[in-house]
């Protein structure tokens, strides 16, 4: 590895990831920057519900939990922190960081705020200008969705993050960005790679993709030999040491558990990947097939050869909309005839719903222990000792979903024998709203990122 490198550590892969990983990365050894990824399409839907209950709360609070005990150390060491924890309320999240710094006696800390991704109030304007907002996966038209829309966010790239860092921010909070931008942004601020430098920008995107999923690039969730990963209970999250050339090493702190090998890194490279030759981001189109992995031993894998081309003219946008109500119930059935009685119980439950006039738009019956996970490729099992029955329904209104829930408990005494579990002392299963995902594309020119820097 060259003498001049920039060390970026990963410390979160989703909302709900370990809240001690940030402290572990700081205290395990030298790092220059830390990225914390909290968002997915599902996360934005959950944050929408959180914001509906408490206006201004549509961000991932786990970030503040992770940040508070180490904020003073971050400020003292000058470590850059970049996160998309802002979710649907990045401004509120950034202000909370400023308040936290003041409360901890950290003065003059620059907190960057990146906005402009939220398109909710501009959907009508976009449609009138000719943007179809058709579903990117199915081609379905946007008609009928607009009235039920809950959120609309474009994916921003790395440039606004780099701008915030250049303007004096040390911690940067964004809304919806690409996950890889949380790594490429600090690299652009550090090395100044120009817009047309597609190869090095592709390297930054690939480095970001490798460490964006928490501990997956350092031995977590490793399908190629999970039983060979040392000290998984003390898993150290991955770090990329990036040279100005764009080449980098994937590693972890030597004092922590985990495993970094070409096989581990390869698994993460193909994770959630579409066309590996055309990985589209707002910053560059990266060719994942161009990279070469070299094992340097001692949990160090060198990545080189990244190639990229110009970014696409359109930006992906993540929309969510109300799609009805759901409810579900689970019951366990024990031997003998566990599977047969579980199937009969599901038929009985649905028949009683029909008898009561409960309108169910869609239902799903799953028997875990009897091949439900593998579906048609499941091996015929021997008669299972127990089967877990799950019945889930989708309805157009809450009352229908709640009525379904009221039909569960009676199955214990007026249904099939051998059932157990069910409500389990928690009462009837409760209906919950369905927030569906609508992926689409918007013209790059229709999205204007905005950057501010707040100071504690």
């Amino acid at each position: 590895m060259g003498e001049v490198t920039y060390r970026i550590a990963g410390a979160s892969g989703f909302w709900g990831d370990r809240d001690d990983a940030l402290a572990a990365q700081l205290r395990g050894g030298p790092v220059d920057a830390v990225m914390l990824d909290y968002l997915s399409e599902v996360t934005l839907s959950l944050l929408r519900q959180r914001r509906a209950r408490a206006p201004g709360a549509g961000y991932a609070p786990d970030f503040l939990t992770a940040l508070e005990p180490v904020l003073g150390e971050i400020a003292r060491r000058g470590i850059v922190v970049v996160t998309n924890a802002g979710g649907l309320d990045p401004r509120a999240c950034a202000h909370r960081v400023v308040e936290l710094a003041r409360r901890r006696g950290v003065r003059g800390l620059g907190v960057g705020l990146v906005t402009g991704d939220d398109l909710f109030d501009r959907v009508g304007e976009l449609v009138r200008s000719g943007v179809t907002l058709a579903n990117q996966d199915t081609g379905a038209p946007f008609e009928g969705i607009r009235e039920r829309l809950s959120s609309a966010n474009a994916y921003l790239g790395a440039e606004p993050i780099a701008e915030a860092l250049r303007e004096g921010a040390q911690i940067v909070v964004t809304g919806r960005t690409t996950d890889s931008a949380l790594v490429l942004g600090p690299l652009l601020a550090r090395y100044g790679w120009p817009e047309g430098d597609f190869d090095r920008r592709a390297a930054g995107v690939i480095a970001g993709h490798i460490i964006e999923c928490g501990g997956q690039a350092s031995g977590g969730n490793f399908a190629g030999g999970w039983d060979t990963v040392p000290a998984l209970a003390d898993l150290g999250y991955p770090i990329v040491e990036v040279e100005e050339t764009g080449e980098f090493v994937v590693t972890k702190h030597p004092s922590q558990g985990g495993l970094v090998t070409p096989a581990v890194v390869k698994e993460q490279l193909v994770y959630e990947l579409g066309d590996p030759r055309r990985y589209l981001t707002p910053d560059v189109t990266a060719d994942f097939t161009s990279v070469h992995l070299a094992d340097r031993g001692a949990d160090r894998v060198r990545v080189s050869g990244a190639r990229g081309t110009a970014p696409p003219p359109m930006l992906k946008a993540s929309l969510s909309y109300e799609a009805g109500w759901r409810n579900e119930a689970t019951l366990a059935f024990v031997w003998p005839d566990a599977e047969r009685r579980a199937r009969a119980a599901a038929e009985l439950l649905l028949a009683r719903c029909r008898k009561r006039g409960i309108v169910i738009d869609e239902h799903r019956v799953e028997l875990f222990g009897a091949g439900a996970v593998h579906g048609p490729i499941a091996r015929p099992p021997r008669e299972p000792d127990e089967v877990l029955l799950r019945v889930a329904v989708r309805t157009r209104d809450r009352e229908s979903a709640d009525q379904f829930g009221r039909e569960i408990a009676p199955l214990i005494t007026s249904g099939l024998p051998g059932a157990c579990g069910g409500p389990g002392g928690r009462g009837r299963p409760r209906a919950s709203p369905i927030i569906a995902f609508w992926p689409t594309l918007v013209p790059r020119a229709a999205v204007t990122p905005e950057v501010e820097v707040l100071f504690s």
Side-chain angles (χ1 to χ4, degrees), residues 6-14 17 25 33-37 179-180 182-184 187 204-218 237-242 248-252 260 265 268-269:
Y6 195 59
R7 294 159 294 194
I8 305 179
S12 178
F14 59 94
D17 206 348
Q25 290 288 47
V34 184
M35 64 85 78
L36 297 99
D37 177 21
D179 301 341
S180 59
L182 304 177
V183 169
L184 181 58
L187 290 173
V205 164
I206 292 170
H209 180 81
I210 289 174
I211 69 169
E212 73 188 29
C213 290
Q216 286 190 177
S218 51
Y237 280 23
I239 301 169
V240 286
E241 300 175 347
V242 187
F248 60 92
V249 162
V250 186
T251 186
K252 66 176 188 64
V260 181
V265 175
Q268 177 56 30
L269 274 174

Side-chain angles (χ1 to χ4, degrees), residues 306-380:
R307 296 290 180 266
T309 55
M314 305 287 281
L315 297 179
K316 182 178 177 180
S318 175
L319 279 59
S320 66
Y321 64 98
E322 299 172 357
W325 290 81
R326 66 183 298 274
N327 205 343
E328 66 176 83
T330 57
L331 289 174
F333 287 83
V334 297
W335 181 92
D337 293 328
E339 179 179 352
R340 191 160 66 92
R341 284 185 287 111
R343 294 189 187 280
E347 293 173 2
L348 175 61
L349 172 61
L350 295 171
R352 287 183 175 173
C353 288
R354 288 192 295 270
K355 182 175 183 295
R356 294 198 52 181
I358 302 172
V359 178
I360 296 175
D361 292 333
E362 183 181 1
H363 73 271
R364 183 175 181 85
V365 175
E366 295 172 320
L367 273 66
F368 297 99
V373 173
H374 290 90
I377 66 171
R379 293 174 295 178

Side-chain angles (χ1 to χ4, degrees), residues 8 120 229 320 403:
I8 305 179
F120 184 79
V229 180
S320 66
Q403 285 181 341

Side-chain angles (χ1 to χ4, degrees), residues 204-291:
V205 164
I206 292 170
H209 180 81
I210 289 174
I211 69 169
E212 73 188 29
C213 290
Q216 286 190 177
S218 51
N221 199 27
F222 180 42
W226 57 268
D227 52 348
T228 67
V229 180
L232 194 56
D234 187 34
L235 178 67
Y237 280 23
I239 301 169
V240 286
E241 300 175 347
V242 187
E243 298 177 8
E244 188 172 4
T245 62
E247 297 189 2
F248 60 92
V249 162
V250 186
T251 186
K252 66 176 188 64
H253 291 310
S255 61
Q256 298 172 353
L259 182 68
V260 181
T261 65
V264 171
V265 175
K266 284 177 184 177
E267 276 198 16
Q268 177 56 30
L269 274 174
V270 299
Y271 181 75
E272 293 184 341
L273 191 64
D275 184 347
R277 293 181 175 83
R278 297 184 68 252
Y279 187 81
L280 305 176
T281 78
D283 303 292
V284 68
T285 299
D287 181 0
F288 277 51
T289 69
S290 65
V291 298

Side-chain angles (χ1 to χ4, degrees), residues 351-431:
R352 287 183 175 173
C353 288
R354 288 192 295 270
K355 182 175 183 295
R356 294 198 52 181
I358 302 172
V359 178
I360 296 175
D361 292 333
E362 183 181 1
H363 73 271
R364 183 175 181 85
V365 175
E366 295 172 320
L367 273 66
F368 297 99
V373 173
H374 290 90
I377 66 171
R379 293 174 295 178
R382 64 177 179 82
E383 183 181 358
D385 293 327
E386 62 272 323
V387 167
L388 182 66
L389 167 67
R390 173 182 179 268
V391 182
V393 300
R394 179 176 63 83
T395 67
R396 299 178 192 178
D397 59 89
R398 181 170 189 168
E399 178 58 25
S400 296
D402 280 333
Q403 285 181 341
F404 166 83
R406 289 193 285 271
E407 291 296 316
I408 307 305
L411 290 178
I412 301 297
T413 56
S414 60
L416 283 295
C420 55
R426 295 182 299 170
R428 299 186 182 104
R430 296 181 178 179

